[in-house]
Every structure is written in structure tokens, then in C-alpha cells.
Amino acid sequence: MSQEDFQPAIRVRDLSLRAGGETLLDGATMNISPGEFSVLLGGSGVGKSLLLRLLAGIFPEDGAVSWSGNAEITAGQAGLVFQDGALFDDLSVMENLRFATDHGGRLTPSELNGLLDRLQIDPDLDLSRASGGQRRRVAVARTLASDPPVLLFDEPTAGLDMDSSCDVASLVRETHEKSGKTTLVVTHDIQSFLGVADSIWFLDPVKRNLQKLENPCSESLRGRFSLRQETKSPVRRLFSWKNFGTNVVSGLAATGRVGTLFPRALVRGIGVLIPRPPRIRWGLHYLFLYLRLVAGPGAWLYVSMAGAVIGFVATYFTFEFFPYEEYTRPLVTEEVLGALGFALFRVLVPLLVTLMIAARCGAAVAADLGNRTFSGQMEAMRTLRASPERYFPTAVVWAFLIGAPFLIGLSFWIARGVSLLVFLHTHPEMPPALLDVSFHQFLTPSGGGLFQGVGWVLSKTLAAGAMIGLVAHARGVGPKRNSGDVARGVTRTVIDSTLLVLLVHLVFALKEF
């Protein structure tokens, strides 16, 4: 085959890569042949993982990193095994694999079981208690289940002891040999892969290029790695004190953009309401997952206690501080009780409980999505040819659209019951039959049926729920570089969603009353 006819499986040509205002690669070139097992070495923070993400098609789009040139997988989309596994913790081991096969893989259930046996993975393994080595084996199995033409490994031995590193390196090599796929391993672990690779490339931080090493040895490589120690990692400079002021200012500005969030969220929400999951099975999985977060048993207790407090406070203090009680109580008690029922149903419970939903449920959803983003699960979905944008926004918004009215209804009936009990305690002379009629006199239409104003209550509850869901999703899936970003996303969700809920109720109040 002539040089012109040669088609590499992985091709990098004239690639320039910048991060944190510094150039990591400048006109770099690398070609890896089909079926080859290659290793890319380099020190920490020099841009190896960024290059791998560029090849995998999940390059960050936050503006802090830019590139030009060509970097591609010529045979199609690559499968990426992440450094920390990026496993879907809400799924079992087998479900992780089935997710991969459902979005492009071709392995049958029996072949999946054989894959687990080959990689020595217990299908009943509890991922929350799995060791780092076990999680990486599951990550390898999930990537193989998606049947990609190229396998990419990001620091597969990071954080492991020497024996575990050798085991993982052998696993990677064995996986390559049995699958016959082109494999690229990005690592700074010289010892584990030096003797098992077909070719070794080095990301030179001084010359800013990719060099193929013809006769590599560990001692010479260690000397080249040490060159990087004289300068600060350009990737780490993204988060250095030099940029601290800029990051703080941008964070404060993001917290104050509530005025622009409302119209943007409204426009986005219209499209999100239309379910478009790539696979219905997994669309329902995420819908029920977030429905449990929004309106699960924990939320029932939460809003029930809120309803009890609202009903007690509103009733007790209304009649405890009744003006000119000895003159007015016989005349207007029934009307005041009816007004109290009206206020609880139309104003107090919808307003206060949607605020509590924003604080409790919005924070829970933002924390879940933030953890998925920070742990790489969103990127892992993309490498498995599953779009998070077609699963999570719709599932989250519909969870709030379904859950919020249920929680409002539950809270109102608890508030109503407590209110009537308090009133009976303070007005023992009132007949129970008349009590119920008086409480509902401004709510029950003359012909019977639903309470008057139920349409308004439902409309503002749905609008507030949709706003909470959209904000929780937007804050949860934003860039997460550390656990502090996850916490800030939760905080901003609470602030933004509560302000939007207040705005929704203000707009409806101006129209409703």
C-alpha cells in the first residue's frame, strides 16, 4: 500500500491546542494504524486528556480551551474508558452494559455475560462499594459493549498501587488483543505500559508536539518528564490565583442573572416538554428517577409538615388576635373561616410550598445532575452515542410538572385538616357539619364539582414547577471542575428558582385577583 493510500485509524494533523491562555500543542501530528496498541505518555496537566476528549468528540465548550487543525477517528466514534470509570451509579453492572448496547452496541445478553466472565466481573457487584480496579473493569466492559472501532483509555492506572497498575495494564492489553480494536492509552505511568505497547508517543511540553519514540526506555523518559516540573501546568492555570478574581466576578454575575433566566427558561421549556428520548426504556428510567427525587416519600413528609404548620399558624393567629372579639366573633366567624379556606387554597399553600419545592427538590435534582457532570457520566453517555440533552431536561421538567401539583394537593389537605382541628379547639360550640361548609364556602361552586380557582392554582403550580426544573437542570449540568462547583450549582439553583417562583406568583396574582 502506498503512503497516499494509508488510512490511519487515529489521525492528528497540524493540531494546535490552547488552554488557560497557554499553548499546549502547536502543529502536532500523530498517526496510529488500525489494530495498533499505542500509548501516549506525558506529565500531568500537559493536555493529554484534552487531546483524548477531542478524539472522543466530547471536547469542552466553555471557551477556556480552544483548538485548530485536525484530530479524528477515521473509522467512526471512539469508545472512551474514563480515568474514574464514570459509571452510572443509579444502574447495576448489567444495566450499565445494557445501556451501552441499547445505544449502538450489538452484543446479545449471553455475550454480555461472557464479557463479564472474561473480565472477571461479578454481575451482582455493588458499584457503591466497588474498588477502583473493579470500577475500571466495569468501565472497560461497558465501553466494549458499545462496540466502538477504537478504544481510548484515560489514565487507567492513576491512583493504583504498583501491583494493581500492572494488573490493569495487562487487562488493557488483553482487551486489545481479544477485541482486535485500535487502542490508545493516555498515561504518565511509564513502567506499566513500556513493555506492552506496539508504539509509544510522547507529548513534549517544551516543543509542544507529539513525538513517536523509536527506542524508549524508562530512564530517558523520566528525564523528559522532569522538564515539565520547571513550569506550571497550563491546564491547572485555568484554576490558578491569576484567574481567581475573574472567576469570582463571573460567578457573582451568574448568580445575578435571574432576570434573563426567566425568558430563556420559558423559551427553552416549550421544546423540553416534548419527549424525545433515544430509547423509551431509558427515558422512562430517568423520568421515574427524578420523580422519586421530586415527589418521593421524603417529599411527602416534607410538604405534609409544611402544610400542618401553615394550617396551624394561619388559623390560630387569625382567631387568637381577632379584633373586638366579643362583638365581631358571632357575626363574622363563619365568613373569616371561609376566607381562611380560600387563602390557604388559592394563595398560602401554593406560594409557600412551591418555594419549599424549589429549595428542597430543586437542590436535590441540581446536586444529582452536578454529580453526574463532575464524575464524567454525562461525557460517558456521549461516548456511548447517547445524548444527555435528550434524556435529562425532559425527565427533570416532567418530574416537576407531575410532582409539584401532587405535593401542593397533599399539603393543602394537611393544612385544611389542621386548620379545622385548631378551629374546633378554639370554637367548640361550632357544629362540625357547619364547620366544613363554612371553610369551603368560597371554594365550592353552587353546582358542585371542583373548587373554584383550581385552574389558577394548577396553572401557577405548573409554571413554577417548570421554572424550578429548568433552572435545576441548567445549574446542574453546567461546567463542574471540582466539588465546590457542584455546591455552587446547588446554591444558585435555590436562589434562582425561589426568585423565579416568587415572580411566577406575582404575575399570576396580578391576573388572578
Side-chain angles (χ1 to χ4, degrees), residues 464-491:
M467 291 296 105
I468 299 169
L470 289 168
V471 171
H473 176 266
R475 293 304 190 195
V477 301
K480 301 291 186 294
R481 300 184 181 95
N482 50 54
S483 58
D485 285 343
V486 178
R488 282 186 286 273
V490 173
T491 302

PDB file of all heavy atoms in Angstrom, residues 464-491:
ATOM      1  N   ALA A 464     -44.532  27.330  38.004  1.00  0.00           N
ATOM      2  CA  ALA A 464     -43.447  27.365  38.983  1.00  0.00           C
ATOM      3  C   ALA A 464     -42.630  26.073  38.924  1.00  0.00           C
ATOM      4  O   ALA A 464     -41.394  26.106  38.969  1.00  0.00           O
ATOM      5  CB  ALA A 464     -44.013  27.572  40.386  1.00  0.00           C
ATOM      6  N   GLY A 465     -43.305  24.927  38.790  1.00  0.00           N
ATOM      7  CA  GLY A 465     -42.596  23.656  38.709  1.00  0.00           C
ATOM      8  C   GLY A 465     -41.696  23.581  37.496  1.00  0.00           C
ATOM      9  O   GLY A 465     -40.563  23.100  37.578  1.00  0.00           O
ATOM     10  N   ALA A 466     -42.201  24.060  36.341  1.00  0.00           N
ATOM     11  CA  ALA A 466     -41.385  24.054  35.131  1.00  0.00           C
ATOM     12  C   ALA A 466     -40.157  24.933  35.299  1.00  0.00           C
ATOM     13  O   ALA A 466     -39.050  24.571  34.877  1.00  0.00           O
ATOM     14  CB  ALA A 466     -42.219  24.521  33.937  1.00  0.00           C
ATOM     15  N   MET A 467     -40.331  26.112  35.916  1.00  0.00           N
ATOM     16  CA  MET A 467     -39.192  27.009  36.139  1.00  0.00           C
ATOM     17  C   MET A 467     -38.153  26.360  37.046  1.00  0.00           C
ATOM     18  O   MET A 467     -36.947  26.432  36.790  1.00  0.00           O
ATOM     19  CB  MET A 467     -39.667  28.322  36.772  1.00  0.00           C
ATOM     20  CG  MET A 467     -40.498  29.210  35.869  1.00  0.00           C
ATOM     21  SD  MET A 467     -39.577  29.807  34.427  1.00  0.00           S
ATOM     22  CE  MET A 467     -40.283  28.773  33.146  1.00  0.00           C
ATOM     23  N   ILE A 468     -38.615  25.710  38.116  1.00  0.00           N
ATOM     24  CA  ILE A 468     -37.680  25.049  39.029  1.00  0.00           C
ATOM     25  C   ILE A 468     -36.905  23.966  38.298  1.00  0.00           C
ATOM     26  O   ILE A 468     -35.679  23.838  38.428  1.00  0.00           O
ATOM     27  CB  ILE A 468     -38.427  24.444  40.233  1.00  0.00           C
ATOM     28  CG1 ILE A 468     -39.143  25.536  41.034  1.00  0.00           C
ATOM     29  CG2 ILE A 468     -37.460  23.676  41.137  1.00  0.00           C
ATOM     30  CD1 ILE A 468     -40.120  24.990  42.065  1.00  0.00           C
ATOM     31  N   GLY A 469     -37.613  23.152  37.493  1.00  0.00           N
ATOM     32  CA  GLY A 469     -36.964  22.078  36.763  1.00  0.00           C
ATOM     33  C   GLY A 469     -35.928  22.576  35.773  1.00  0.00           C
ATOM     34  O   GLY A 469     -34.820  22.037  35.678  1.00  0.00           O
ATOM     35  N   LEU A 470     -36.269  23.636  35.032  1.00  0.00           N
ATOM     36  CA  LEU A 470     -35.344  24.172  34.035  1.00  0.00           C
ATOM     37  C   LEU A 470     -34.102  24.767  34.698  1.00  0.00           C
ATOM     38  O   LEU A 470     -32.985  24.585  34.219  1.00  0.00           O
ATOM     39  CB  LEU A 470     -36.054  25.232  33.187  1.00  0.00           C
ATOM     40  CG  LEU A 470     -37.111  24.685  32.219  1.00  0.00           C
ATOM     41  CD1 LEU A 470     -37.950  25.822  31.661  1.00  0.00           C
ATOM     42  CD2 LEU A 470     -36.447  23.911  31.092  1.00  0.00           C
ATOM     43  N   VAL A 471     -34.306  25.478  35.801  1.00  0.00           N
ATOM     44  CA  VAL A 471     -33.160  26.071  36.500  1.00  0.00           C
ATOM     45  C   VAL A 471     -32.289  24.971  37.114  1.00  0.00           C
ATOM     46  O   VAL A 471     -31.054  25.021  37.027  1.00  0.00           O
ATOM     47  CB  VAL A 471     -33.640  27.054  37.586  1.00  0.00           C
ATOM     48  CG1 VAL A 471     -32.470  27.505  38.467  1.00  0.00           C
ATOM     49  CG2 VAL A 471     -34.289  28.271  36.940  1.00  0.00           C
ATOM     50  N   ALA A 472     -32.918  23.979  37.745  1.00  0.00           N
ATOM     51  CA  ALA A 472     -32.145  22.884  38.356  1.00  0.00           C
ATOM     52  C   ALA A 472     -31.316  22.160  37.314  1.00  0.00           C
ATOM     53  O   ALA A 472     -30.153  21.806  37.555  1.00  0.00           O
ATOM     54  CB  ALA A 472     -33.087  21.911  39.059  1.00  0.00           C
ATOM     55  N   HIS A 473     -31.897  21.942  36.138  1.00  0.00           N
ATOM     56  CA  HIS A 473     -31.143  21.270  35.078  1.00  0.00           C
ATOM     57  C   HIS A 473     -30.003  22.153  34.583  1.00  0.00           C
ATOM     58  O   HIS A 473     -28.863  21.686  34.435  1.00  0.00           O
ATOM     59  CB  HIS A 473     -32.062  20.911  33.917  1.00  0.00           C
ATOM     60  CG  HIS A 473     -31.334  20.304  32.760  1.00  0.00           C
ATOM     61  ND1 HIS A 473     -30.886  21.054  31.682  1.00  0.00           N
ATOM     62  CD2 HIS A 473     -30.915  19.027  32.517  1.00  0.00           C
ATOM     63  CE1 HIS A 473     -30.255  20.275  30.842  1.00  0.00           C
ATOM     64  NE2 HIS A 473     -30.250  19.041  31.307  1.00  0.00           N
ATOM     65  N   ALA A 474     -30.295  23.420  34.317  1.00  0.00           N
ATOM     66  CA  ALA A 474     -29.259  24.314  33.787  1.00  0.00           C
ATOM     67  C   ALA A 474     -28.093  24.461  34.750  1.00  0.00           C
ATOM     68  O   ALA A 474     -26.920  24.417  34.350  1.00  0.00           O
ATOM     69  CB  ALA A 474     -29.871  25.682  33.477  1.00  0.00           C
ATOM     70  N   ARG A 475     -28.391  24.629  36.036  1.00  0.00           N
ATOM     71  CA  ARG A 475     -27.323  24.770  37.032  1.00  0.00           C
ATOM     72  C   ARG A 475     -26.613  23.445  37.271  1.00  0.00           C
ATOM     73  O   ARG A 475     -25.414  23.403  37.539  1.00  0.00           O
ATOM     74  CB  ARG A 475     -27.889  25.299  38.344  1.00  0.00           C
ATOM     75  CG  ARG A 475     -28.425  26.724  38.289  1.00  0.00           C
ATOM     76  CD  ARG A 475     -27.387  27.692  37.804  1.00  0.00           C
ATOM     77  NE  ARG A 475     -27.809  29.076  37.959  1.00  0.00           N
ATOM     78  CZ  ARG A 475     -27.224  30.105  37.353  1.00  0.00           C
ATOM     79  NH1 ARG A 475     -26.195  29.883  36.547  1.00  0.00           N
ATOM     80  NH2 ARG A 475     -27.649  31.328  37.547  1.00  0.00           N
ATOM     81  N   GLY A 476     -27.345  22.340  37.182  1.00  0.00           N
ATOM     82  CA  GLY A 476     -26.732  21.046  37.456  1.00  0.00           C
ATOM     83  C   GLY A 476     -25.759  20.593  36.394  1.00  0.00           C
ATOM     84  O   GLY A 476     -24.733  19.987  36.706  1.00  0.00           O
ATOM     85  N   VAL A 477     -26.059  20.873  35.117  1.00  0.00           N
ATOM     86  CA  VAL A 477     -25.213  20.373  34.031  1.00  0.00           C
ATOM     87  C   VAL A 477     -24.168  21.390  33.582  1.00  0.00           C
ATOM     88  O   VAL A 477     -23.422  21.118  32.634  1.00  0.00           O
ATOM     89  CB  VAL A 477     -26.071  19.948  32.810  1.00  0.00           C
ATOM     90  CG1 VAL A 477     -27.049  18.860  33.213  1.00  0.00           C
ATOM     91  CG2 VAL A 477     -26.801  21.145  32.207  1.00  0.00           C
ATOM     92  N   GLY A 478     -24.107  22.537  34.235  1.00  0.00           N
ATOM     93  CA  GLY A 478     -23.058  23.498  33.902  1.00  0.00           C
ATOM     94  C   GLY A 478     -21.678  22.931  34.211  1.00  0.00           C
ATOM     95  O   GLY A 478     -21.544  21.894  34.877  1.00  0.00           O
ATOM     96  N   PRO A 479     -20.601  23.577  33.712  1.00  0.00           N
ATOM     97  CA  PRO A 479     -19.242  23.056  33.922  1.00  0.00           C
ATOM     98  C   PRO A 479     -18.944  22.823  35.405  1.00  0.00           C
ATOM     99  O   PRO A 479     -19.209  23.687  36.243  1.00  0.00           O
ATOM    100  CB  PRO A 479     -18.354  24.172  33.341  1.00  0.00           C
ATOM    101  CG  PRO A 479     -19.225  24.873  32.350  1.00  0.00           C
ATOM    102  CD  PRO A 479     -20.606  24.823  32.919  1.00  0.00           C
ATOM    103  N   LYS A 480     -18.389  21.653  35.713  1.00  0.00           N
ATOM    104  CA  LYS A 480     -18.058  21.289  37.090  1.00  0.00           C
ATOM    105  C   LYS A 480     -16.617  20.807  37.123  1.00  0.00           C
ATOM    106  O   LYS A 480     -16.310  19.698  36.684  1.00  0.00           O
ATOM    107  CB  LYS A 480     -18.994  20.186  37.605  1.00  0.00           C
ATOM    108  CG  LYS A 480     -20.472  20.551  37.584  1.00  0.00           C
ATOM    109  CD  LYS A 480     -20.813  21.612  38.606  1.00  0.00           C
ATOM    110  CE  LYS A 480     -22.314  21.866  38.674  1.00  0.00           C
ATOM    111  NZ  LYS A 480     -22.837  22.456  37.428  1.00  0.00           N
ATOM    112  N   ARG A 481     -15.716  21.653  37.640  1.00  0.00           N
ATOM    113  CA  ARG A 481     -14.302  21.278  37.706  1.00  0.00           C
ATOM    114  C   ARG A 481     -13.910  20.698  39.061  1.00  0.00           C
ATOM    115  O   ARG A 481     -12.871  20.078  39.186  1.00  0.00           O
ATOM    116  CB  ARG A 481     -13.429  22.498  37.397  1.00  0.00           C
ATOM    117  CG  ARG A 481     -13.678  23.096  36.017  1.00  0.00           C
ATOM    118  CD  ARG A 481     -12.713  24.231  35.739  1.00  0.00           C
ATOM    119  NE  ARG A 481     -12.945  24.826  34.439  1.00  0.00           N
ATOM    120  CZ  ARG A 481     -13.693  25.887  34.216  1.00  0.00           C
ATOM    121  NH1 ARG A 481     -14.304  26.478  35.236  1.00  0.00           N
ATOM    122  NH2 ARG A 481     -13.850  26.371  33.002  1.00  0.00           N
ATOM    123  N   ASN A 482     -14.732  20.933  40.075  1.00  0.00           N
ATOM    124  CA  ASN A 482     -14.437  20.413  41.406  1.00  0.00           C
ATOM    125  C   ASN A 482     -15.743  20.329  42.183  1.00  0.00           C
ATOM    126  O   ASN A 482     -16.802  20.761  41.714  1.00  0.00           O
ATOM    127  CB  ASN A 482     -13.406  21.299  42.132  1.00  0.00           C
ATOM    128  CG  ASN A 482     -13.802  22.770  42.086  1.00  0.00           C
ATOM    129  OD1 ASN A 482     -14.904  23.136  42.471  1.00  0.00           O
ATOM    130  ND2 ASN A 482     -12.906  23.623  41.597  1.00  0.00           N
ATOM    131  N   SER A 483     -15.651  19.773  43.397  1.00  0.00           N
ATOM    132  CA  SER A 483     -16.858  19.610  44.208  1.00  0.00           C
ATOM    133  C   SER A 483     -17.447  20.953  44.614  1.00  0.00           C
ATOM    134  O   SER A 483     -18.658  21.053  44.846  1.00  0.00           O
ATOM    135  CB  SER A 483     -16.535  18.782  45.457  1.00  0.00           C
ATOM    136  OG  SER A 483     -15.500  19.402  46.221  1.00  0.00           O
ATOM    137  N   GLY A 484     -16.601  21.992  44.694  1.00  0.00           N
ATOM    138  CA  GLY A 484     -17.112  23.326  45.011  1.00  0.00           C
ATOM    139  C   GLY A 484     -18.062  23.833  43.937  1.00  0.00           C
ATOM    140  O   GLY A 484     -19.046  24.521  44.237  1.00  0.00           O
ATOM    141  N   ASP A 485     -17.787  23.497  42.663  1.00  0.00           N
ATOM    142  CA  ASP A 485     -18.691  23.894  41.577  1.00  0.00           C
ATOM    143  C   ASP A 485     -20.050  23.223  41.730  1.00  0.00           C
ATOM    144  O   ASP A 485     -21.086  23.811  41.414  1.00  0.00           O
ATOM    145  CB  ASP A 485     -18.083  23.540  40.230  1.00  0.00           C
ATOM    146  CG  ASP A 485     -16.961  24.480  39.828  1.00  0.00           C
ATOM    147  OD1 ASP A 485     -16.863  25.574  40.425  1.00  0.00           O
ATOM    148  OD2 ASP A 485     -16.177  24.131  38.925  1.00  0.00           O
ATOM    149  N   VAL A 486     -20.047  21.974  42.195  1.00  0.00           N
ATOM    150  CA  VAL A 486     -21.314  21.276  42.428  1.00  0.00           C
ATOM    151  C   VAL A 486     -22.105  21.987  43.518  1.00  0.00           C
ATOM    152  O   VAL A 486     -23.312  22.236  43.374  1.00  0.00           O
ATOM    153  CB  VAL A 486     -21.068  19.807  42.824  1.00  0.00           C
ATOM    154  CG1 VAL A 486     -22.382  19.101  43.116  1.00  0.00           C
ATOM    155  CG2 VAL A 486     -20.318  19.077  41.712  1.00  0.00           C
ATOM    156  N   ALA A 487     -21.428  22.355  44.609  1.00  0.00           N
ATOM    157  CA  ALA A 487     -22.098  23.054  45.706  1.00  0.00           C
ATOM    158  C   ALA A 487     -22.627  24.413  45.262  1.00  0.00           C
ATOM    159  O   ALA A 487     -23.743  24.813  45.621  1.00  0.00           O
ATOM    160  CB  ALA A 487     -21.139  23.217  46.885  1.00  0.00           C
ATOM    161  N   ARG A 488     -21.830  25.124  44.465  1.00  0.00           N
ATOM    162  CA  ARG A 488     -22.289  26.433  43.979  1.00  0.00           C
ATOM    163  C   ARG A 488     -23.484  26.283  43.033  1.00  0.00           C
ATOM    164  O   ARG A 488     -24.384  27.122  43.023  1.00  0.00           O
ATOM    165  CB  ARG A 488     -21.143  27.155  43.286  1.00  0.00           C
ATOM    166  CG  ARG A 488     -20.157  27.793  44.255  1.00  0.00           C
ATOM    167  CD  ARG A 488     -19.110  28.623  43.521  1.00  0.00           C
ATOM    168  NE  ARG A 488     -18.138  27.764  42.851  1.00  0.00           N
ATOM    169  CZ  ARG A 488     -17.047  27.289  43.436  1.00  0.00           C
ATOM    170  NH1 ARG A 488     -16.806  27.567  44.720  1.00  0.00           N
ATOM    171  NH2 ARG A 488     -16.195  26.532  42.772  1.00  0.00           N
ATOM    172  N   GLY A 489     -23.484  25.211  42.250  1.00  0.00           N
ATOM    173  CA  GLY A 489     -24.627  24.968  41.382  1.00  0.00           C
ATOM    174  C   GLY A 489     -25.902  24.743  42.179  1.00  0.00           C
ATOM    175  O   GLY A 489     -26.976  25.229  41.805  1.00  0.00           O
ATOM    176  N   VAL A 490     -25.787  24.011  43.289  1.00  0.00           N
ATOM    177  CA  VAL A 490     -26.955  23.784  44.153  1.00  0.00           C
ATOM    178  C   VAL A 490     -27.422  25.097  44.770  1.00  0.00           C
ATOM    179  O   VAL A 490     -28.629  25.400  44.802  1.00  0.00           O
ATOM    180  CB  VAL A 490     -26.609  22.755  45.245  1.00  0.00           C
ATOM    181  CG1 VAL A 490     -27.746  22.647  46.255  1.00  0.00           C
ATOM    182  CG2 VAL A 490     -26.309  21.397  44.631  1.00  0.00           C
ATOM    183  N   THR A 491     -26.473  25.893  45.262  1.00  0.00           N
ATOM    184  CA  THR A 491     -26.827  27.177  45.875  1.00  0.00           C
ATOM    185  C   THR A 491     -27.517  28.096  44.880  1.00  0.00           C
ATOM    186  O   THR A 491     -28.544  28.727  45.191  1.00  0.00           O
ATOM    187  CB  THR A 491     -25.567  27.856  46.424  1.00  0.00           C
ATOM    188  OG1 THR A 491     -24.938  27.001  47.384  1.00  0.00           O
ATOM    189  CG2 THR A 491     -25.911  29.184  47.087  1.00  0.00           C
TER     190      THR A 491
END
